[in-house]
Amino acid sequence: NQSQVITSFMKGSTSEGLGGSKTLRGILRNRVTGDGIFFGNTELRWKVTRFRFHNNNFYVGLNGFTDFGKVTRKIAISTAGFTEDRKENYFDPGAEKLHVSYGAGLRVAMNENFIVAFDYGLAFDKRDGNSGFYMGLNYLF
């Protein structure tokens, strides 16, 4: 049983690997797993417009992002009894490079603390998936 990504805030469900709306947007959920992992998220945020409606303050924001992660300690798996052909079918020796995704998002905020978020991410490597669309609340960080 592999370790879980532990955070100090509730993410809706536990994460057993990297990928999905809260770690690597655009990469399949839990696609990157290992006994040790690291990841990071970068965003460039812009509040496009501000307005008042029914005595509430609103803003619409756009953000561009890049997410990245890597396995730092692989899962120990015995391949004893595997022929070289079978190993090639199940294991990719180049798979544990840096996994990267990028994309854009839209934020609609009411009174600076209620934020509806829409993100669309793309994986750089097709082995990690194609893309993902995410709807939720708040900024990722």
Side-chain angles (χ1 to χ4, degrees):
N1 192 8
Q2 303 313 309
S3 61
Q4 296 181 337
V5 176
I6 305 299
T7 65
S8 59
F9 55 91
M10 185 172 163
K11 292 171 48 167
S13 65
T14 59
S15 295
E16 296 174 346
L18 301 178
S21 66
K22 302 296 183 193
T23 55
L24 305 179
R25 295 164 284 186
I27 292 178
L28 295 172
R29 185 173 184 213
N30 297 332
R31 182 66 158 192
V32 181
T33 60
D35 283 337
I37 54 175
F38 90 92
F39 73 98
N41 311 100
T42 62
E43 286 190 356
L44 183 60
R45 299 173 179 169
W46 177 39
K47 293 180 182 174
V48 177
T49 186
R50 295 173 183 269
F51 59 94
R52 288 187 56 80
F53 183 72
H54 287 289
N55 244 1
N56 290 294
N57 296 311
F58 288 85
Y59 74 79
V60 175
L62 297 175
N63 65 305
F65 62 84
T66 300
D67 301 334
F68 54 90
K70 181 175 176 53
V71 171
T72 58
R73 193 170 68 206
K74 293 181 180 180
I75 299 168
I77 298 174
S78 173
T79 57
F82 275 66
T83 64
E84 287 303 314
D85 292 343
R86 283 192 73 200
K87 284 182 188 178
E88 289 178 10
N89 287 337
Y90 294 101
F91 301 99
D92 183 356
E96 294 315 324
K97 58 177 184 31
L98 191 66
H99 301 267
V100 181
S101 65
Y102 63 97
L106 171 74
R107 302 293 185 267
V108 179
M110 182 176 78
N111 295 328
E112 300 287 333
N113 60 5
F114 180 77
I115 302 165
V116 179
F118 303 94
D119 284 324
Y120 184 73
L122 298 159
F124 267 103
D125 190 333
K126 293 298 179 195
R127 292 179 293 184
D128 290 331
N130 293 322
S131 63
F133 177 71
Y134 311 99
M135 293 185 304
L137 298 176
N138 299 321
Y139 284 95
L140 184 60
F141 56 91

